[in-house]
Amino acid sequence: SQPIVILQSKPDGTSMTDSFAQDVAIGLNQTPKSLSSRYFYDGKGSELFQQIMALPEYYLTSCEFEVLIAHKQEIVNYFAAEGFFHLIDLGAGDALKTKILLSQLQKEQRKFEYVPVDISGDAMAQLCQSLQEEMPAVNVQAVVGEYFQALEWLQANKAEQKVVLFLGSNIGNFKLDESLAFLQSIRSFLNPGDKLLLGVDLRKDPDTILAAYNDATGVTAEFNINLLRRINRELGGDFNINRFRHYAVYNPQEGVMKSYLVSKAHQDVYIKDIDKTFHFDAWEAIHTEYSHKYSLQQVEEMGKQSGFAIEQVFQDKRQYFADVLFTV
Ligand code: AVI
């Protein structure tokens, strides 16, 4: 059967480009201005994020690799010990981390179907290809769509045993109320005994966190600024990229890294597809991203409020990152 399902349009029938234009119009009309980090990931943005994950300052990726490699056997032991299950990987990307678990499951001859979900059709096509080459025995059903569409997939397969992966501290990019709603939504499609393995970046020395979002080579700055380039490319914007700068700041009380694009001058920007000019004062900022950092108590509380209980917490040696296994 066809290994890739494409869920392109939104439930209201509008296309992704329409909603990008709408969201940009709303965000730049607001005071203070904001744009959603979900729009970072076009082809170029995804490539830049791959580069970020390889940066020495961006500890999140290497820490999560360490966690999964060190605990892979124990982790998969918790996954539906008997019978067939679906392993649903939200925001799978190149699935390099998930492949650690996949090869362990294969080694143990476990029966499962792997369901990677990602907004990038190219990423899913490449992943299917690489899995075909590296692990031909693994059954794969890739889904191209947004997270909420993945939840529809969960809905359609409600009766099956499920393990949901949400790795990489992607949850940290939601606002706190959105992350709760998201977890509650996942929970509503799961049955007793189903699991959620959630990757979370933990609170630590603010300087370590700050460096991860303000790297010396400027890849993260380029990743942030690519959002303006994307508006220029896709919506006919005339942002002068040199007149904006990346600025990232960590609030240790809220445990949140906030990223901004700051206008270096008083300027107007016209966006053709919105047919509107947006004014920027000198040093006015557009908020572009939240990256939340958690305490384990906070993660436990979020789980509790969404109907999940912690089964086990897996951490790296420095305790920078945790993969938290929740059960329903
Ligand atoms: C995808 N997400 C978890 C990344 C993060 O750390 O918030 C995105 C990112 N933003 C800047 N660097 C990486």
Side-chain angles (χ1 to χ4, degrees):
S1 68
Q2 175 53 255
I4 304 186
V5 176
I6 299 181
L7 306 169
Q8 272 303 4
S9 64
K10 299 196 17 175
D12 61 4
T14 58
S15 75
M16 301 285 185
T17 319
D18 290 345
S19 52
F20 182 34
Q22 268 168 27
D23 289 349
V24 169
I26 294 168
L28 294 184
N29 258 326
Q30 279 167 356
T31 316
K33 291 180 169 60
S34 70
L35 292 169
S36 167
S37 62
R38 63 200 277 267
Y39 294 114
F40 280 163
Y41 303 92
D42 64 345
K44 183 67 191 165
S46 302
E47 208 177 278
L48 287 163
F49 183 55
Q50 294 286 335
Q51 289 178 31
I52 288 174
M53 289 193 288
L55 290 170
E57 295 98 328
Y58 195 74
Y59 59 84
L60 288 83
T61 308
S62 53
C63 287
E64 195 169 35
F65 267 106
E66 184 189 324
V67 174
L68 297 175
I69 290 168
H71 304 285
K72 59 187 178 188
Q73 201 171 353
E74 204 190 337
I75 293 173
V76 306
N77 274 344
Y78 282 99
F79 294 177
E82 295 136 36
F84 176 85
F85 67 97
H86 289 285
L87 182 65
I88 301 137
D89 190 1
L90 302 179
D94 60 13
L96 280 184
K97 284 176 281 199
T98 309
K99 282 179 180 174
I100 298 164
L101 302 179
L102 292 177
S103 70
Q104 184 64 29
L105 287 164
Q106 245 199 329
K107 197 168 138 194
E108 297 183 13
Q109 300 186 332
R110 303 282 296 278
K111 292 190 192 66
F112 67 101
E113 181 176 61
Y114 177 49
V115 185
V117 180
D118 203 280
I119 189 66
S120 163
D122 287 348
M124 288 304 86
Q126 277 168 27
L127 177 57
C128 288
Q129 171 85 31
S130 76
L131 287 169
Q132 182 59 38
E133 285 161 18
E134 295 164 29
M135 304 179 190
V138 172
N139 289 318
V140 183
Q141 173 66 78
V143 178
V144 178
E146 299 212 35
Y147 294 142
F148 70 89
Q149 293 170 312
L151 298 179
E152 284 172 9
W153 190 96
L154 288 179
Q155 167 74 41
N157 292 273
K158 199 166 171 16
E160 309 279 351
Q161 286 199 84
K162 290 191 248 341
V163 176
V164 177
L165 305 178
F166 197 34
L167 304 179
S169 204
N170 286 339
I171 185 120
N173 298 132
F174 291 133
K175 290 181 194 151
L176 286 180
D177 56 338
E178 287 171 355
S179 55
L180 254 192
F182 188 73
L183 290 177
Q184 285 165 350
S185 180
I186 293 178
R187 165 65 188 86
S188 71
F189 299 125
L190 300 182
N191 299 308
D194 287 346
K195 314 282 175 194
L196 166 67
L197 186 66
L198 183 70
V200 285
D201 194 16
L202 300 174
R203 295 201 183 187
K204 61 184 66 61
D205 187 331
D207 284 336
T208 307
I209 296 174
L210 199 55
Y213 294 84
N214 204 15
D215 63 281
T217 47
V219 182
T220 310
E222 191 47 48
F223 177 65
N224 197 5
I225 282 171
N226 179 58
L227 188 49
L228 302 184
R229 294 191 199 276
R230 183 176 181 185
I231 296 173
N232 286 352
R233 278 192 297 266
E234 291 183 27
L235 305 179
D238 70 355
F239 277 101
N240 179 343
I241 300 309
N242 299 323
R243 294 179 137 203
F244 287 85
R245 62 156 294 191
H246 164 73
Y247 181 71
V249 63
Y250 180 65
N251 180 327
Q253 286 190 318
E254 292 174 40
V256 65
M257 189 71 223
K258 290 186 190 172
S259 299
Y260 300 90
L261 288 162
V262 181
S263 171
K264 295 196 270 186
H266 175 98
Q267 56 182 318
D268 287 326
V269 174
Y270 179 67
I271 302 177
K272 189 164 156 275
D273 288 11
I274 301 172
D275 192 21
K276 208 175 142 84
T277 298
F278 297 94
H279 176 73
F280 292 85
D281 286 333
W283 308 115
E284 183 178 353
I286 312 170
H287 172 251
T288 54
E289 187 177 47
Y290 295 103
S291 297
H292 287 94
K293 312 300 164 192
Y294 305 91
S295 66
L296 285 176
Q297 294 92 300
Q298 201 183 350
V299 176
E300 186 175 11
E301 190 51 36
M302 272 169 34
K304 219 186 254 171
Q305 289 181 25
S306 325
F308 287 106
I310 291 186
E311 194 151 15
Q312 189 63 266
V313 177
F314 303 97
Q315 284 183 261
D316 58 304
K317 284 214 182 75
R318 289 181 297 184
Q319 307 198 316
Y320 276 10
F321 198 94
D323 282 296
V324 178
L325 186 76
F326 285 110
T327 190
V328 174

